[in-house]
Amino acid sequence: MDFNWCHGPSCHKKSTIDRIRGSKGSKVLRTRKINQSNDYIRNSVWSVFCSQTCYTDFFYKYWQQVIAIAPRREALETPIDDPKKITNQYGWERTEIVKR
Ligand SMILES: [Zn+2]
């Protein structure tokens, strides 16, 4: 079967019964395997992270290296039409922003 190990730096420290491996007297908590059985998993971050927590733990540990891959040195801009004020049937006003 095709699988990846979760890349969460603390995946193997989370106390859940599905992580318990080993024989009596020498039990461990083991990093989760992630089954690569479908395209959604294979083509997403969920191919290498078992949970939102592991994904976040990885980013908190390695954020400097991650940002170094594609540093943002100036602001990006999206052109828009001139904003319009729109009042709904209850009198609430909102600003409509239309991207060009
Ligand atoms: Zn994990």
XYZ file of all heavy atoms in Angstrom:
841
model
N 0.844 -1.201 0.000
C 0.000 0.000 0.000
C 0.881 1.255 0.000
O 1.928 1.289 0.612
C -0.922 -0.009 1.221
C -2.043 1.010 1.109
S -2.999 1.243 2.618
C -3.497 -0.417 3.023
N 0.430 2.278 -0.721
C 1.166 3.523 -0.855
C 0.818 4.458 0.309
O -0.348 4.751 0.527
C 0.760 4.154 -2.196
C 1.690 5.287 -2.593
O 2.796 5.377 -2.047
O 1.275 6.078 -3.454
N 1.825 4.915 1.054
C 1.560 5.828 2.160
C 2.733 6.770 2.391
O 3.860 6.515 1.942
C 1.256 5.048 3.446
C 2.457 4.345 4.018
C 3.290 4.999 4.918
C 2.772 3.049 3.645
C 4.415 4.364 5.432
C 3.890 2.407 4.156
C 4.712 3.065 5.052
N 2.479 7.864 3.080
C 3.517 8.775 3.580
C 3.399 8.814 5.095
O 2.310 8.625 5.642
C 3.295 10.199 3.053
C 3.599 10.325 1.580
O 4.379 9.567 1.023
N 2.970 11.300 0.947
N 4.508 9.136 5.754
C 4.459 9.417 7.178
C 4.045 10.868 7.353
O 4.462 11.744 6.572
C 5.823 9.190 7.835
C 6.280 7.764 7.825
C 7.268 7.224 7.058
C 5.747 6.694 8.613
N 7.389 5.890 7.327
C 6.466 5.530 8.272
C 4.739 6.595 9.566
C 6.205 4.290 8.847
C 4.481 5.362 10.143
C 5.198 4.234 9.794
N 3.258 11.147 8.387
C 2.873 12.518 8.697
C 4.139 13.333 8.998
O 5.044 12.845 9.668
C 1.939 12.556 9.900
S 1.527 14.232 10.424
N 4.182 14.564 8.503
C 5.343 15.435 8.717
C 5.207 16.323 9.960
O 6.065 17.166 10.207
C 5.596 16.283 7.477
C 6.266 15.503 6.383
N 5.739 14.342 5.866
C 7.421 15.709 5.727
C 6.540 13.874 4.943
N 7.574 14.686 4.832
N 4.134 16.178 10.702
C 3.979 16.939 11.947
C 5.128 16.616 12.891
O 5.368 15.437 13.175
N 5.863 17.647 13.369
C 7.032 17.383 14.206
C 6.699 16.717 15.543
O 7.572 16.117 16.162
C 7.653 18.775 14.414
C 6.585 19.751 14.080
C 5.666 19.081 13.106
N 5.441 16.802 15.969
C 5.040 16.187 17.244
C 3.941 15.143 17.062
O 3.294 14.755 18.040
C 4.546 17.272 18.209
O 5.550 18.224 18.439
N 3.751 14.675 15.842
C 2.701 13.681 15.578
C 2.854 12.468 16.505
O 1.872 11.977 17.056
C 2.750 13.249 14.116
S 1.340 12.256 13.594
N 4.098 12.045 16.695
C 4.381 10.851 17.509
C 4.276 11.102 19.010
O 4.537 10.195 19.802
C 5.783 10.339 17.176
C 6.858 11.303 17.571
N 7.012 12.537 16.960
C 7.798 11.242 18.535
C 8.011 13.181 17.526
N 8.512 12.411 18.488
N 3.908 12.336 19.399
C 3.774 12.640 20.831
C 2.329 12.832 21.254
O 2.045 13.059 22.423
C 4.586 13.888 21.177
C 6.083 13.662 21.023
C 6.875 14.911 21.337
C 8.364 14.648 21.145
N 9.159 15.869 21.263
N 1.403 12.776 20.282
C -0.016 12.967 20.593
C -0.580 11.665 21.159
O -0.376 10.594 20.590
C -0.793 13.359 19.330
C -0.110 14.453 18.514
C -0.700 15.802 18.741
C -0.045 16.824 17.836
N 0.508 17.966 18.551
N -1.285 11.791 22.271
C -1.801 10.606 22.967
C -3.143 10.153 22.412
O -4.187 10.472 22.961
C -1.939 10.906 24.457
O -0.693 11.233 25.000
N -3.099 9.405 21.306
C -4.322 8.814 20.760
C -4.091 7.322 20.580
O -2.952 6.902 20.299
C -4.703 9.440 19.394
O -3.673 9.164 18.447
C -4.908 10.952 19.523
N -5.130 6.538 20.733
C -4.951 5.078 20.703
C -4.514 4.561 19.332
O -3.845 3.537 19.245
C -6.215 4.321 21.194
C -7.430 4.686 20.366
C -6.438 4.562 22.683
C -8.647 3.822 20.663
N -4.864 5.286 18.242
C -4.459 4.804 16.910
C -2.950 4.931 16.684
O -2.412 4.345 15.755
C -5.232 5.541 15.808
C -4.870 7.016 15.738
O -5.087 7.739 16.740
O -4.366 7.454 14.690
N -2.241 5.672 17.530
C -0.784 5.826 17.377
C -0.002 4.774 18.181
O 1.214 4.669 18.044
C -0.356 7.221 17.817
C -0.782 8.335 16.867
C -0.348 9.690 17.412
N -0.474 10.775 16.449
C -1.546 11.564 16.337
N -2.594 11.373 17.113
N -1.576 12.523 15.439
N -0.675 4.012 19.019
C 0.013 3.034 19.873
C 0.474 1.845 19.031
O -0.291 1.263 18.274
C -0.908 2.538 21.018
C -1.309 3.708 21.923
C -0.203 1.439 21.833
C -2.383 3.358 22.950
N 1.759 1.519 19.145
C 2.341 0.371 18.452
C 3.242 -0.378 19.431
O 3.561 0.121 20.497
C 3.172 0.820 17.233
C 2.369 1.446 16.111
C 1.487 0.422 15.412
N 0.758 0.987 14.287
C -0.402 1.634 14.370
N -0.965 1.833 15.551
N -0.992 2.096 13.293
N 3.715 -1.547 19.025
C 4.664 -2.311 19.827
C 3.998 -3.367 20.681
O 2.778 -3.434 20.785
N 4.835 -4.205 21.288
C 4.316 -5.301 22.107
C 4.283 -4.890 23.576
O 4.896 -3.902 23.980
C 5.168 -6.553 21.902
O 6.529 -6.246 22.106
N 3.568 -5.656 24.348
C 3.385 -5.363 25.771
C 4.728 -5.150 26.456
O 5.660 -5.930 26.272
C 2.620 -6.522 26.435
C 1.993 -6.155 27.747
C 1.044 -7.245 28.227
C 0.413 -6.827 29.549
N -0.535 -7.820 30.036
N 4.847 -4.063 27.205
C 6.090 -3.757 27.899
C 7.021 -2.854 27.102
O 7.984 -2.320 27.648
N 6.773 -2.741 25.784
C 7.610 -1.830 24.967
C 6.738 -1.086 23.961
O 6.997 -1.111 22.761
C 8.737 -2.585 24.266
O 8.212 -3.592 23.436
N 5.685 -0.476 24.464
C 4.750 0.285 23.619
C 5.331 1.649 23.265
O 6.106 2.226 24.036
C 3.423 0.498 24.354
C 2.668 -0.784 24.647
C 1.985 -1.284 23.420
C 1.080 -2.479 23.748
N 0.524 -3.081 22.540
N 4.936 2.166 22.108
C 5.331 3.502 21.670
C 4.133 4.203 21.042
O 3.156 3.553 20.643
C 6.477 3.463 20.615
C 7.754 2.890 21.209
C 6.052 2.701 19.366
N 4.234 5.537 20.970
C 3.317 6.324 20.146
C 4.084 6.576 18.858
O 5.210 7.075 18.895
C 2.961 7.651 20.832
C 2.132 7.531 22.100
C 2.061 8.878 22.822
C 0.722 7.030 21.776
N 3.504 6.200 17.711
C 4.211 6.305 16.438
C 3.541 7.345 15.537
O 2.318 7.510 15.552
C 4.197 4.949 15.724
C 4.983 4.960 14.410
C 4.965 3.615 13.728
N 5.762 2.649 14.488
C 5.729 1.334 14.284
N 4.933 0.822 13.366
N 6.471 0.550 15.020
N 4.352 8.028 14.740
C 3.866 8.937 13.705
C 2.804 8.231 12.860
O 2.969 7.043 12.533
C 5.050 9.349 12.788
O 6.013 10.030 13.585
C 4.592 10.252 11.659
N 1.736 8.965 12.527
C 0.671 8.361 11.717
C 1.104 8.171 10.263
O 1.806 9.012 9.702
C -0.566 9.260 11.713
C -1.440 9.124 12.925
C -2.597 10.079 12.802
N -3.582 9.880 13.842
C -4.474 10.801 14.199
N -4.498 11.980 13.587
N -5.345 10.550 15.141
N 0.627 7.063 9.673
C 0.756 6.813 8.240
C -0.410 7.494 7.547
O -1.525 7.482 8.066
C 0.595 5.308 7.962
C 1.822 4.497 7.984
C 1.454 3.068 7.580
C 2.670 2.176 7.619
N 2.327 0.788 7.254
N -0.161 8.041 6.367
C -1.253 8.639 5.600
C -1.402 7.879 4.293
O -0.505 7.892 3.438
C -0.991 10.133 5.326
C -0.769 10.865 6.653
C -2.137 10.749 4.528
C -0.116 12.205 6.515
N -2.520 7.212 4.175
C -2.841 6.436 2.987
C -2.993 7.362 1.780
O -3.688 8.361 1.849
C -4.144 5.685 3.261
C -4.436 4.644 2.227
O -4.049 4.780 1.067
N -5.127 3.590 2.632
N -2.328 7.015 0.670
C -2.370 7.857 -0.544
C -3.360 7.274 -1.556
O -3.115 7.284 -2.755
C -0.968 7.928 -1.172
C 0.105 8.383 -0.219
C -0.066 9.817 0.236
O -0.086 10.725 -0.590
N -0.230 10.036 1.516
N -4.483 6.812 -1.062
C -5.396 6.040 -1.909
C -6.254 6.860 -2.862
O -6.814 6.305 -3.799
C -6.307 5.192 -1.036
O -7.071 6.052 -0.207
N -6.391 8.179 -2.638
C -7.211 8.928 -3.598
C -6.544 10.227 -4.036
O -5.628 10.727 -3.393
C -8.637 9.161 -3.056
C -8.645 10.132 -1.896
O -8.194 11.261 -2.028
N -9.164 9.695 -0.756
N -7.015 10.769 -5.172
C -6.389 11.949 -5.776
C -6.486 13.171 -4.883
O -5.580 13.993 -4.865
C -7.033 12.258 -7.134
C -6.582 11.276 -8.201
O -5.569 10.572 -7.971
O -7.230 11.215 -9.259
N -7.606 13.296 -4.149
C -7.734 14.456 -3.271
C -6.577 14.484 -2.274
O -5.931 15.512 -2.078
C -9.076 14.459 -2.523
C -9.106 15.546 -1.464
C -9.268 16.881 -1.827
C -8.906 15.238 -0.118
C -9.241 17.889 -0.868
C -8.879 16.232 0.842
C -9.050 17.554 0.471
O -9.008 18.531 1.414
N -6.284 13.350 -1.650
C -5.188 13.251 -0.686
C -3.843 13.458 -1.391
O -3.021 14.272 -0.966
C -5.199 11.864 0.025
C -6.506 11.640 0.794
C -3.967 11.689 0.922
C -6.643 12.384 2.087
N -3.639 12.711 -2.480
C -2.344 12.756 -3.186
C -1.964 14.154 -3.653
O -0.795 14.500 -3.692
C -2.372 11.816 -4.401
C -1.851 10.432 -4.124
C -1.606 9.663 -5.412
N -2.823 9.491 -6.194
C -3.712 8.526 -5.990
N -3.512 7.631 -5.044
N -4.793 8.441 -6.742
N -2.963 14.966 -4.031
C -2.691 16.284 -4.612
C -2.884 17.432 -3.629
O -3.114 18.565 -4.040
C -3.585 16.501 -5.841
C -3.316 15.468 -6.911
O -2.166 15.107 -7.145
N -4.361 14.974 -7.541
N -2.793 17.150 -2.351
C -3.000 18.218 -1.371
C -2.010 18.083 -0.218
O -1.274 17.088 -0.124
C -4.431 18.163 -0.826
O -4.573 17.057 0.047
N -2.016 19.082 0.672
C -1.145 19.021 1.860
C -1.513 17.836 2.741
O -0.686 17.389 3.550
C -1.197 20.317 2.705
C -0.656 21.497 1.919
C -2.584 20.590 3.241
N -2.728 17.300 2.566
C -3.164 16.166 3.396
C -2.491 14.871 2.970
O -2.716 13.825 3.579
C -4.692 16.071 3.421
C -5.248 17.397 3.809
C -6.055 18.207 3.059
C -4.978 18.148 5.013
N -6.289 19.393 3.723
C -5.641 19.379 4.916
C -4.225 17.883 6.151
C -5.584 20.347 5.923
C -4.151 18.846 7.152
C -4.822 20.059 7.033
N -1.622 14.928 1.952
C -0.802 13.762 1.616
C 0.385 13.630 2.575
O 1.009 12.577 2.649
C -0.294 13.861 0.176
O 0.574 14.969 0.041
N 0.721 14.717 3.295
C 1.868 14.685 4.208
C 1.544 15.134 5.640
O 2.428 15.140 6.500
C 3.057 15.507 3.650
C 3.687 14.796 2.452
C 2.642 16.917 3.291
N 0.292 15.534 5.893
C -0.121 15.887 7.255
C -1.401 15.137 7.599
O -2.344 15.125 6.806
C -0.360 17.393 7.397
C 0.881 18.209 7.210
C 1.093 18.914 6.042
C 1.859 18.238 8.199
C 2.255 19.653 5.850
C 3.034 18.976 8.026
C 3.224 19.680 6.850
N -1.435 14.548 8.810
C -2.602 13.755 9.203
C -3.720 14.615 9.767
O -4.853 14.152 9.875
C -2.204 12.689 10.225
S -1.894 13.329 11.886
N -3.416 15.872 10.160
C -4.424 16.719 10.791
C -4.030 18.189 10.670
O -2.863 18.506 10.381
C -4.556 16.365 12.280
O -3.343 16.715 12.952
N -5.002 19.048 10.931
C -4.752 20.488 10.963
C -3.694 20.824 12.027
O -2.850 21.691 11.822
C -6.068 21.205 11.285
C -6.009 22.704 11.126
C -6.137 23.138 9.684
O -7.017 22.664 8.974
N -5.283 24.013 9.252
N -3.730 20.104 13.153
C -2.757 20.340 14.233
C -1.337 20.049 13.755
O -0.426 20.857 13.972
C -3.099 19.470 15.463
O -4.413 19.794 15.894
C -2.127 19.713 16.601
N -1.118 18.909 13.095
C 0.223 18.566 12.608
C 0.687 19.566 11.552
O 1.855 19.960 11.520
C 0.247 17.135 12.077
S 0.311 15.925 13.420
N -0.241 19.995 10.676
C 0.060 21.005 9.655
C 0.511 22.306 10.327
O 1.531 22.892 9.967
C -1.211 21.207 8.830
C -1.202 22.292 7.807
C -0.630 22.086 6.556
C -1.810 23.519 8.066
C -0.655 23.084 5.589
C -1.839 24.514 7.104
C -1.258 24.295 5.872
O -1.280 25.274 4.932
N -0.222 22.751 11.341
C 0.105 23.986 12.054
C 1.413 23.847 12.833
O 2.251 24.746 12.808
C -1.052 24.372 13.000
O -2.248 24.468 12.232
C -0.786 25.699 13.693
N 1.611 22.707 13.498
C 2.864 22.465 14.240
C 4.070 22.582 13.311
O 5.096 23.168 13.667
C 2.875 21.054 14.862
C 1.925 20.909 16.051
O 1.402 21.927 16.539
O 1.726 19.753 16.468
N 3.949 22.006 12.105
C 5.036 22.056 11.124
C 5.339 23.504 10.747
O 6.505 23.927 10.754
C 4.642 21.265 9.867
C 5.708 21.201 8.808
C 6.635 20.171 8.792
C 5.781 22.165 7.810
C 7.611 20.103 7.813
C 6.769 22.109 6.835
C 7.684 21.069 6.833
N 4.286 24.265 10.449
C 4.484 25.658 10.042
C 5.090 26.474 11.188
O 6.002 27.267 10.962
C 3.186 26.288 9.545
C 3.418 27.613 8.894
C 3.939 27.695 7.609
C 3.144 28.791 9.569
C 4.187 28.926 7.009
C 3.389 30.027 8.981
C 3.908 30.095 7.702
N 4.631 26.294 12.422
C 5.182 27.042 13.555
C 6.655 26.713 13.771
O 7.432 27.573 14.148
C 4.373 26.768 14.830
C 3.190 27.690 14.990
C 2.133 27.658 14.085
C 3.131 28.611 16.020
C 1.058 28.508 14.213
C 2.049 29.479 16.167
C 1.018 29.415 15.253
O -0.040 30.267 15.386
N 7.050 25.456 13.507
C 8.449 25.065 13.694
C 9.340 25.558 12.552
O 10.478 25.957 12.774
C 8.560 23.539 13.818
C 9.984 23.075 14.096
C 10.048 21.619 14.492
C 11.497 21.242 14.815
N 11.611 19.830 15.184
N 8.812 25.498 11.305
C 9.657 25.774 10.133
C 9.253 27.019 9.356
O 9.660 27.180 8.212
C 9.637 24.559 9.184
C 10.210 23.315 9.809
C 9.386 22.233 10.117
C 11.568 23.218 10.102
C 9.907 21.082 10.699
C 12.090 22.072 10.683
C 11.250 21.013 10.977
O 11.772 19.882 11.556
N 8.479 27.943 9.956
C 7.949 29.073 9.185
C 9.039 29.917 8.530
O 8.843 30.402 7.415
C 7.018 29.934 10.044
C 7.696 30.692 11.145
C 7.906 30.264 12.427
C 8.266 32.006 11.070
N 8.563 31.227 13.140
C 8.791 32.307 12.332
C 8.368 32.953 10.052
C 9.424 33.516 12.608
C 8.994 34.163 10.332
C 9.513 34.439 11.596
N 10.183 30.067 9.162
C 11.235 30.905 8.557
C 11.751 30.287 7.253
O 11.943 30.991 6.265
C 12.380 31.120 9.545
C 11.959 32.053 10.671
C 12.925 32.081 11.829
O 13.392 31.032 12.278
N 13.209 33.267 12.320
N 11.950 28.961 7.257
C 12.388 28.286 6.035
C 11.303 28.310 4.970
O 11.576 28.484 3.784
C 12.787 26.832 6.317
C 14.061 26.674 7.137
C 13.789 26.458 8.619
O 12.984 27.157 9.228
N 14.473 25.496 9.196
N 10.055 28.137 5.384
C 8.929 28.140 4.441
C 8.830 29.505 3.761
O 8.727 29.596 2.534
C 7.601 27.778 5.145
C 6.414 27.968 4.213
C 7.650 26.347 5.676
N 8.887 30.586 4.550
C 8.783 31.934 3.991
C 9.969 32.242 3.077
O 9.825 32.933 2.067
C 8.648 32.989 5.114
C 7.324 32.810 5.863
C 8.787 34.410 4.579
C 6.069 32.873 5.015
N 11.141 31.689 3.396
C 12.336 31.920 2.577
C 12.167 31.379 1.150
O 12.834 31.838 0.229
C 13.558 31.301 3.242
N 11.259 30.416 0.955
C 11.000 29.859 -0.378
C 10.404 30.918 -1.301
O 10.736 30.982 -2.483
C 10.036 28.647 -0.285
C 10.707 27.505 0.464
C 9.573 28.208 -1.667
C 9.721 26.420 0.902
N 9.520 31.765 -0.769
C 8.834 32.769 -1.582
C 8.597 34.025 -0.753
O 7.461 34.353 -0.411
C 7.513 32.204 -2.096
N 9.671 34.755 -0.440
C 9.502 35.948 0.404
C 8.710 37.042 -0.312
O 8.855 37.218 -1.516
C 10.938 36.402 0.665
C 11.777 35.769 -0.390
C 11.070 34.525 -0.813
N 7.866 37.757 0.446
C 7.085 38.876 -0.107
C 7.802 40.167 0.258
O 7.856 40.531 1.420
C 5.670 38.866 0.504
C 4.889 40.125 0.242
C 3.819 40.052 -0.843
N 2.985 38.879 -0.754
C 2.989 37.913 -1.678
N 3.752 37.998 -2.737
N 2.207 36.867 -1.524
N 8.389 40.830 -0.733
C 9.168 42.045 -0.493
C 8.392 43.304 -0.842
O 8.825 44.409 -0.564
C 10.475 41.994 -1.269
C 11.294 40.758 -0.935
C 12.762 40.908 -1.216
N 13.474 39.650 -1.113
C 13.782 39.035 0.020
N 13.434 39.549 1.167
N 14.434 37.884 0.012
N 7.252 43.140 -1.511
C 6.381 44.288 -1.778
C 4.937 43.820 -1.815
O 4.668 42.640 -2.034
C 6.765 44.981 -3.088
C 6.872 44.069 -4.276
C 7.577 44.748 -5.457
O 8.749 45.168 -5.281
O 6.945 44.844 -6.525
N 4.016 44.774 -1.614
C 2.593 44.440 -1.577
C 2.100 44.028 -2.960
O 2.610 44.507 -3.977
C 1.793 45.634 -1.077
N 1.104 43.154 -3.000
C 0.426 42.807 -4.241
C -0.827 43.669 -4.334
O -1.321 44.169 -3.320
C 0.037 41.327 -4.247
C 1.169 40.318 -4.052
C 0.608 38.898 -4.064
C 2.247 40.485 -5.106
N -1.344 43.852 -5.543
C -2.565 44.647 -5.725
C -3.490 43.948 -6.700
O -3.031 43.328 -7.649
C -2.221 46.046 -6.246
C -1.433 46.858 -5.240
C -1.116 48.269 -5.724
O -1.278 48.533 -6.944
O -0.726 49.095 -4.881
N -4.796 44.065 -6.458
C -5.832 43.546 -7.352
C -6.656 44.725 -7.849
O -7.250 45.438 -7.031
C -6.751 42.564 -6.591
O -5.962 41.507 -6.074
C -7.841 42.007 -7.495
N -6.681 44.983 -9.157
C -7.477 46.095 -9.676
C -8.968 45.879 -9.410
O -9.467 44.757 -9.562
C -7.199 46.081 -11.184
C -5.968 45.252 -11.344
C -5.961 44.277 -10.212
N -9.668 46.959 -9.004
C -11.114 46.900 -8.764
C -11.809 48.091 -9.421
O -11.176 49.111 -9.702
C -11.456 46.900 -7.249
C -10.922 48.170 -6.567
C -10.916 45.639 -6.573
C -11.429 48.372 -5.157
N -13.122 47.940 -9.660
C -13.937 49.075 -10.105
C -14.096 50.024 -8.925
O -13.901 49.631 -7.771
C -15.327 48.595 -10.560
C -15.256 47.736 -11.811
O -14.229 47.797 -12.526
O -16.223 46.981 -12.051
N -14.488 51.277 -9.186
C -14.744 52.208 -8.089
C -15.810 51.596 -7.175
O -16.872 51.183 -7.661
C -15.235 53.559 -8.623
C -14.122 54.312 -9.362
O -12.939 54.003 -9.119
O -14.447 55.179 -10.193
N -15.562 51.517 -5.857
C -16.533 50.898 -4.941
C -17.864 51.644 -4.927
O -17.897 52.868 -5.070
C -15.858 51.011 -3.571
C -14.425 51.245 -3.867
C -14.354 51.956 -5.172
N -18.978 50.878 -4.793
C -20.325 51.472 -4.743
C -20.956 51.188 -3.391
O -20.814 50.091 -2.865
C -21.218 50.840 -5.824
C -20.908 51.267 -7.220
C -21.922 50.633 -8.168
C -21.283 50.444 -9.535
N -21.715 49.259 -10.250
N -21.675 52.197 -2.848
C -22.455 51.985 -1.617
C -23.809 51.415 -2.037
O -24.472 51.954 -2.916
C -22.676 53.302 -0.878
C -21.411 53.894 -0.308
C -21.265 53.596 1.169
C -20.077 54.340 1.761
N -19.293 53.513 2.641
N -24.194 50.300 -1.395
C -25.479 49.666 -1.694
C -26.261 49.564 -0.397
O -25.723 49.132 0.622
C -25.270 48.266 -2.314
C -24.604 48.425 -3.684
C -26.587 47.512 -2.423
C -24.233 47.118 -4.329
N -27.552 50.008 -0.420
C -28.407 49.916 0.758
C -29.429 48.812 0.527
O -30.104 48.801 -0.501
C -29.154 51.257 0.989
O -28.187 52.307 1.037
C -29.933 51.229 2.296
N -29.510 47.842 1.479
C -30.476 46.753 1.305
C -31.862 47.160 1.801
O -32.053 48.271 2.304
C -29.964 45.457 1.947
C -30.071 45.458 3.466
O -30.647 46.365 4.079
N -29.508 44.441 4.087
N -32.835 46.237 1.701
C -34.239 46.544 2.041
C -34.435 46.921 3.514
O -35.442 47.512 3.864
C -35.126 45.361 1.674
C -34.745 44.082 2.407
C -35.582 42.886 2.004
O -36.793 42.992 1.853
N -34.928 41.746 1.809
N -33.478 46.585 4.381
C -33.592 46.904 5.805
C -32.840 48.178 6.165
O -32.753 48.561 7.321
C -33.066 45.739 6.652
C -33.721 44.428 6.293
C -33.009 43.447 5.624
C -35.066 44.194 6.594
C -33.615 42.246 5.274
C -35.676 43.005 6.244
C -34.946 42.023 5.580
O -35.544 40.852 5.229
N -32.246 48.809 5.174
C -31.541 50.065 5.399
C -30.064 49.905 5.732
O -29.383 50.882 6.001
N -29.587 48.641 5.739
C -28.161 48.424 6.007
C -27.362 48.754 4.760
O -27.713 48.359 3.668
C -27.898 46.975 6.409
C -28.466 46.623 7.747
C -29.704 46.102 7.994
C -27.845 46.784 9.017
N -29.885 45.916 9.335
C -28.765 46.323 9.998
C -26.598 47.262 9.423
C -28.461 46.352 11.368
C -26.301 47.273 10.779
C -27.234 46.829 11.729
N -26.296 49.472 4.988
C -25.450 49.880 3.866
C -24.199 49.014 3.821
O -23.632 48.667 4.847
C -25.058 51.336 4.079
C -24.749 52.070 2.797
C -24.513 53.556 3.055
O -23.475 53.873 3.681
O -25.348 54.366 2.626
N -23.808 48.637 2.617
C -22.540 47.918 2.463
C -21.828 48.452 1.230
O -22.442 49.095 0.377
C -22.760 46.415 2.343
C -23.477 45.987 1.089
C -23.637 44.465 1.041
N -24.372 44.077 -0.162
C -23.806 43.832 -1.327
N -22.494 43.919 -1.478
N -24.540 43.495 -2.379
N -20.553 48.184 1.159
C -19.756 48.635 0.024
C -19.519 47.441 -0.908
O -19.026 46.408 -0.462
C -18.398 49.196 0.499
O -18.652 50.272 1.411
C -17.568 49.700 -0.656
N -19.939 47.604 -2.152
C -19.730 46.534 -3.132
C -18.368 46.728 -3.788
O -18.052 47.804 -4.296
C -20.827 46.559 -4.196
C -20.697 45.396 -5.158
C -21.761 45.431 -6.240
O -21.754 46.368 -7.047
O -22.592 44.510 -6.265
N -17.568 45.667 -3.745
C -16.222 45.707 -4.362
C -16.202 44.667 -5.476
O -16.396 43.470 -5.236
C -15.137 45.411 -3.312
C -15.160 46.490 -2.225
C -13.775 45.312 -3.987
C -14.254 46.209 -1.037
N -15.977 45.142 -6.703
C -15.953 44.248 -7.868
C -14.527 44.231 -8.428
O -13.977 45.283 -8.783
C -16.953 44.720 -8.954
C -16.858 43.839 -10.187
C -18.363 44.750 -8.404
N -13.955 43.024 -8.474
C -12.602 42.871 -9.042
C -12.681 42.922 -10.551
O -13.614 42.378 -11.145
C -12.003 41.530 -8.604
C -11.727 41.467 -7.129
C -11.241 40.089 -6.714
C -11.608 39.853 -5.257
N -11.721 38.441 -4.949
N -11.714 43.569 -11.160
C -11.665 43.635 -12.627
C -11.041 42.400 -13.224
O -10.257 41.716 -12.639
C -10.897 44.873 -13.079
C -11.831 46.018 -13.335
C -11.097 47.155 -14.008
N -11.094 48.270 -13.059
C -10.092 49.112 -12.884
N -8.982 48.981 -13.584
N -10.172 50.080 -12.016
Zn 0.297 13.881 12.274
